[in-house]
């Protein structure tokens, strides 16, 4: 492994061991260079990064995320992503419209009479 990765074998909440119940090849490392926890799948011929923990701490949310992000749950993950993207697009549309209205009001009230 890379020199900036510190293997986490024993932790307060046994997250490293609990991750191995999700996938026997999962191993947890702390990336010193990026200040984050990374989970690698070492059951492959060449160990590969499975996922980066989206949390600053190593706790049960990491195990929940590992279960959530499994291939078997791909349909759920994709539908969540699509729902989130649609919400972001709606919010961006509202924000753009609001910005346009504010710009028009500002231009009108500056006395130029132009929109």
């Amino acid at each position: 492994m890379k020199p900036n990765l510190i293997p986490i074998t024993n932790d307060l909440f046994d997250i490293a061991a609990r991750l191995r119940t999700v996938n026997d090849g999962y191993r947890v490392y702390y990336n010193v260079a990026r200040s984050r926890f990374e989970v690698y799948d070492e059951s492959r011929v060449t160990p590969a990064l499975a996922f980066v923990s989206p949390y600053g701490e190593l706790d049960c949310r990491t195990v929940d995320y590992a279960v959530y992000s499994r291939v078997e749950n791909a349909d759920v993950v994709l539908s969540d992503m699509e729902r989130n993207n649609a919400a972001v697009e709606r919010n961006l549309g509202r924000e753009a419209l609001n910005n346009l209205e504010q710009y028009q009001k500002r231009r009108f009230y500056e006395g130029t009479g132009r929109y």
Side-chain angles (χ1 to χ4, degrees), residues 57-106:
E57 302 85 23
L58 197 59
D59 56 21
C60 66
R61 296 176 297 172
T62 306
V63 177
D64 293 340
Y65 185 79
V67 171
Y68 171 77
S69 63
R70 291 189 63 152
V71 173
E72 293 85 11
N73 297 330
D75 292 337
V76 174
V77 172
L78 289 176
S79 67
D80 287 350
M81 287 172 56
E82 289 173 0
R83 188 172 39 254
N84 185 43
N85 288 343
V88 167
E89 287 177 5
R90 280 193 306 274
N91 289 338
L92 285 176
R94 284 188 207 124
E95 186 177 330
L97 185 59
N98 188 28
N99 288 342
L100 178 62
E101 289 174 358
Q102 293 299 322
Y103 174 76
Q104 288 175 338
K105 287 178 184 177
R106 200 170 43 247

Side-chain angles (χ1 to χ4, degrees), residues 4-102:
N4 59 337
L5 297 179
I6 300 171
I8 307 295
T9 54
N10 296 318
D11 56 277
L12 180 63
F13 301 113
D14 290 326
I15 301 302
R18 290 167 58 189
L19 281 171
R20 283 193 287 280
T21 62
V22 175
N23 183 334
D24 195 41
Y26 280 172
R27 300 294 182 264
V28 182
Y29 293 89
Y30 183 75
N31 188 328
V32 178
R34 297 188 178 184
S35 300
R36 66 184 189 187
F37 291 99
E38 299 176 348
V39 178
Y40 284 82
D41 186 358
E42 294 186 351
S43 63
R44 301 171 180 235
V45 175
T46 303
L49 179 65
F51 64 91
V52 174
S53 177
Y55 314 106
E57 302 85 23
L58 197 59
D59 56 21
C60 66
R61 296 176 297 172
T62 306
V63 177
D64 293 340
Y65 185 79
V67 171
Y68 171 77
S69 63
R70 291 189 63 152
V71 173
E72 293 85 11
N73 297 330
D75 292 337
V76 174
V77 172
L78 289 176
S79 67
D80 287 350
M81 287 172 56
E82 289 173 0
R83 188 172 39 254
N84 185 43
N85 288 343
V88 167
E89 287 177 5
R90 280 193 306 274
N91 289 338
L92 285 176
R94 284 188 207 124
E95 186 177 330
L97 185 59
N98 188 28
N99 288 342
L100 178 62
E101 289 174 358
Q102 293 299 322

